[in-house]
Amino acid sequence: MPPRISLAIIDSEASARESIEATLKPFSETISIVGSVDNFSAGLRIIEKGSPNVVMLEVNDIQRGMQEVQHITSNFPRTSVIVCSSEKSSDWILSLMRAGAVEYMLRPITQEELKQALQKVGRFFFSTPEKAPNGKLISVYYPTGGAGTTTVAVNLAASLASEGTKVALVDLNIYSGDISTFLDVNPTYTLSSVTSNIDRLDANFLMTVMTRHSSGPFVLTEPNEVDDAISITPDQVRRILEFLKGVFTYVVVDCGGPLAGCNMTIFESSDLILFTTALSLPALKNSKRYLTAMERKGLRKDRLKLVVNRYLPKADIQVKDAEKVLGHTVFQTIPNEYLDVVGSINKGMPVVKMSPRSPVSKAMLSLAELVK
């Protein structure tokens, strides 16, 4: 846990305040409580005087709670708000998140839950570098569905994160993303949670909305609602990607759709674009059209890397045929091991973790070495 996290408690129930204080007592060397009060006005005085890193705020009324969260985050931008409530409604959670809360905790709060929340909120309080590292952004793309971009993106991210390297996995296939399904996650916060709070984007906020998957990567999933996807702009995508590159060593983006709008922003930000295709006539015809168009739009050929998915060595169309048609050398082939891949998706775990001896896993690990 980061050193010297300061915390204020605003809760009308004395027993709840005492419980939080008792829960935090074992961590007194790393967490200091600068004040514990029973009303918002008194809490504001503590915040003004003590500038705590974190405020634990009781919310019993959604409208008042949103106003109080907004007041704190607007006037004290360096202070993060953790909401404590007995209300389980997802509408409450999303509304308070959009108001600026970084975590929502249900009463009664256990010591482990509180410890994890503070670790999450405080992860970057004291470790933001003076100069942000320039992480490598790798986008995995095919214009339409069915080429396996999500399989490649998920397993590439898990492979890159295998040695403790900080890796972000972002679903920017905003209309038909599948990363949440592939990894069996149902996060409270998604891509639209970030874009709707874009003006307060910093390392602390970002880490609270990303989900750490057990396979290693920090995941930012696709929007839950189509209307949320429609409202996402290229400028918002650019700002998110720039910030991710400043926090993570590798940023892997799953994307698809037309060569316009958010996709062009992704490609312009990418160090490598893994154009994922298959050795079939329709796929190669489509790939030829799009690769030519991408080069015409100024995307250098050396940044466009061809990945052949579902590769069968004895298929009618060979790698050399594809290279001749597309004018690109094949960067990596991923073998067609249908049962291994589908089994991993059904279990919500990348195949490189679930079946490390699978030919698919070996190819994915080789791909990870190639992009480093």
Side-chain angles (χ1 to χ4, degrees):
M1 190 172 289
R4 299 181 301 280
I5 291 179
S6 56
L7 180 141
I9 304 167
I10 305 174
D11 198 305
S12 63
E13 295 183 18
S15 60
R17 298 195 304 274
E18 291 167 3
S19 176
I20 293 172
E21 291 173 25
T23 298
L24 294 176
K25 194 171 183 180
F27 311 109
S28 57
E29 292 185 4
T30 55
I31 302 170
S32 61
I33 298 175
V34 298
S36 179
V37 295
D38 63 2
N39 66 83
F40 188 67
S41 296
L44 285 180
R45 290 194 290 273
I46 289 173
I47 298 170
E48 289 169 357
K49 183 179 179 180
S51 300
N53 302 123
V54 180
V55 171
M56 297 197 65
L57 176 68
E58 173 199 27
V59 172
N60 291 323
D61 178 273
I62 184 63
Q63 295 302 324
R64 188 175 73 243
M66 289 169 62
Q67 291 171 3
E68 290 176 352
V69 170
Q70 287 170 346
H71 185 89
I72 295 171
T73 55
S74 298
N75 291 282
F76 308 97
R78 292 184 177 275
T79 296
S80 297
V81 181
I82 295 177
V83 166
C84 308
S85 179
S86 300
E87 177 57 59
K88 297 179 180 180
S89 166
S90 60
D91 289 339
W92 275 48
I93 297 172
L94 290 173
S95 295
L96 288 159
M97 172 64 192
R98 287 176 175 143
V102 297
E103 191 65 77
Y104 188 100
M105 304 197 71
L106 281 173
R107 296 174 183 271
I109 301 169
T110 67
Q111 184 182 74
E112 185 60 28
E113 288 171 340
L114 186 52
K115 179 184 174 184
Q116 289 178 3
L118 290 172
Q119 284 177 328
K120 189 177 180 183
V121 172
R123 192 174 280 124
F124 286 100
F125 275 154
F126 306 101
S127 61
T128 303
E130 292 182 9
K131 184 178 180 182
N134 187 25
K136 193 169 189 177
L137 196 151
I138 304 156
S139 52
V140 185
Y141 174 73
Y142 187 74
T144 62
T149 62
T150 303
T151 297
V152 173
V154 163
N155 284 279
L156 175 60
S159 299
L160 290 168
S162 61
E163 296 178 1
T165 305
K166 283 167 62 177
V167 177
L169 173 61
V170 187
D171 199 333
L172 279 169
N173 199 333
I174 53 180
Y175 294 105
S176 55
D178 279 326
I179 282 178
S180 60
T181 303
F182 275 53
L183 293 178
D184 192 24
V185 294
N186 186 26
T188 302
Y189 313 125
T190 67
L191 181 66
S192 57
S193 304
V194 180
T195 55
S196 62
N197 289 277
I198 198 74
D199 290 333
R200 57 188 292 262
L201 183 62
D202 59 21
N204 178 41
F205 173 71
L206 189 64
M207 296 307 293
T208 64
V209 298
M210 297 185 80
T211 302
R212 180 79 183 269
H213 192 262
S214 59
S215 62
F218 288 81
V219 182
L220 190 58
T221 60
E222 69 281 3
N224 289 327
E225 304 293 337
V226 172
D227 287 345
D228 290 336
I230 292 170
S231 66
I232 295 172
T233 68
D235 183 61
Q236 290 172 336
V237 169
R238 178 187 59 77
R239 291 176 65 181
I240 291 169
L241 294 179
E242 283 180 0
F243 207 91
L244 287 167
K245 289 176 73 173
V247 174
F248 292 92
T249 306
Y250 296 100
V251 180
V252 178
V253 177
D254 182 13
C255 54
L259 296 179
C262 294
N263 278 335
M264 287 307 299
T265 299
I266 296 166
F267 299 146
E268 288 159 6
S269 303
S270 296
D271 297 281
L272 287 177
I273 303 164
L274 301 183
F275 192 100
T276 305
T277 189
L279 296 184
S280 69
L281 286 176
L284 293 180
K285 181 180 178 181
N286 209 29
S287 298
K288 177 68 174 178
R289 291 171 57 224
Y290 276 83
L291 285 167
T292 301
M294 292 170 85
E295 290 172 38
R296 284 177 182 162
K297 287 180 179 289
L299 298 171
R300 297 193 321 271
K301 196 169 184 176
D302 62 331
R303 290 167 61 206
L304 289 164
K305 303 297 183 182
L306 193 63
V307 175
V308 172
N309 194 26
R310 304 192 189 101
Y311 172 62
L312 292 168
K314 296 181 180 180
D316 292 339
I317 301 174
Q318 295 293 302
V319 165
K320 62 182 180 181
D321 302 321
E323 291 177 334
K324 185 176 180 180
V325 169
L326 301 178
H328 280 261
T329 301
V330 170
F331 190 60
Q332 177 71 0
T333 58
I334 310 295
N336 187 10
E337 297 290 339
Y338 177 81
L339 293 178
D340 289 346
V341 173
V342 170
S344 75
I345 295 169
N346 290 339
K347 293 286 176 58
M349 182 61 62
V351 68
V352 295
K353 298 296 182 181
M354 198 179 91
S355 305
R357 295 185 179 180
S358 168
V360 173
S361 300
K362 293 175 182 178
M364 291 292 182
L365 289 167
S366 296
L367 179 60
E369 290 299 316
L370 288 172
V371 303
K372 288 181 179 178

